[in-house]
Amino acid sequence: MAAVTLTRICSPMSVSIACRSLRYQQVATKHWQINCRRFEMLGSTANWRYFSCTPSMKNNGRKYTETHEWAALTGNTAIVGISDYAQDKLGDVVYVDLPEIGAEFSKEDVYGAVESVKAASDLYSPLSGKVTEVNEQLESEPELVNKEPYDKGWIMKMEVSDPSEFEKLFSEQEYEKFLEESQ
């Protein structure tokens, strides 16, 4: 799919953008996944944003925490990462402190950290359980947290000890409302 240049109209969580190109015009909503990559225009020091749109369900069953982590649960296995909002606020991620495989965490325990050019932030486990896998690709490409926080930028997978905790997390709509109210 050809990439298009976009103009952002509002915040990342209430994604509404206008796609502009000679042969393509589409309004993307929360049902589109938005991927951003920064590049510099030749002869200019201004940073421009370049987006590509891929039609896919944005949520895919994810739920969110007040500390901006997300989890997607399949059976007793959860994939965990940070939200698009969190990565945007952090700025360019330069390092991700991954947990050890086999480590056990309770809900809200610190399991790692993310460092960016702006700040460092602890990562809090959205669920209780045991780490079964970490995204080792983040060791060499921490920027994946920025580029694809819900896809290639996931941080860990865990075997969940109490699946009922998942139901207590924010749905995407509840998380968007939480973000709007906290601004």
Side-chain angles (χ1 to χ4, degrees):
M1 173 180 225
V4 294
T5 303
L6 307 172
T7 305
R8 186 186 303 260
I9 294 175
C10 59
S11 73
M13 285 312 295
S14 56
V15 178
S16 175
I17 52 174
C19 303
R20 299 172 201 255
S21 111
L22 293 175
R23 295 190 299 179
Y24 179 83
Q25 188 168 10
Q26 171 72 49
V27 174
T29 66
K30 66 182 179 182
H31 298 290
W32 288 73
Q33 179 179 340
I34 309 305
N35 298 318
C36 311
R37 286 189 286 285
R38 286 193 186 147
F39 68 92
E40 285 197 21
M41 201 168 166
L42 289 175
S44 171
T45 58
N47 279 332
W48 293 80
R49 282 212 176 230
Y50 170 85
F51 297 83
S52 60
C53 296
T54 47
S56 66
M57 290 303 291
K58 183 179 171 197
N59 185 316
N60 292 329
R62 281 185 293 276
K63 292 206 171 198
Y64 301 83
T65 67
E66 288 183 7
T67 54
H68 310 292
E69 285 82 18
W70 61 265
L73 187 65
T74 303
N76 280 349
T77 302
I79 301 174
V80 176
I82 66 169
S83 71
D84 185 56
Y85 175 84
Q87 71 77 24
D88 187 56
K89 291 298 179 195
L90 280 168
D92 295 335
V93 173
V94 295
Y95 177 74
V96 180
D97 180 22
L98 299 170
E100 294 292 322
I101 294 175
E104 293 188 30
F105 298 100
S106 295
K107 183 177 179 181
E108 300 177 358
D109 282 353
V110 173
Y111 72 86
V114 175
E115 294 179 19
S116 73
V117 294
K118 288 188 199 176
S121 180
D122 286 335
L123 297 170
Y124 299 92
S125 183
L127 304 165
S128 300
K130 181 178 177 179
V131 178
T132 58
E133 188 178 343
V134 295
N135 187 351
E136 293 177 357
Q137 193 173 3
L138 296 179
E139 292 174 348
S140 61
E141 298 178 80
E143 65 275 8
L144 288 174
V145 171
N146 294 112
K147 292 178 182 176
E148 301 182 54
Y150 300 126
D151 189 22
K152 293 181 182 176
W154 61 275
I155 296 171
M156 72 170 172
K157 291 182 182 179
M158 64 189 317
E159 183 180 326
V160 177
S161 58
D162 183 2
S164 68
E165 290 176 340
F166 184 74
E167 296 309 316
K168 297 174 186 167
L169 301 176
F170 289 139
S171 68
E172 183 169 356
Q173 294 77 22
E174 291 168 332
Y175 182 62
E176 287 179 7
K177 185 176 179 183
F178 167 75
L179 292 177
E180 289 172 8
E181 291 173 352
S182 62
Q183 291 181 4

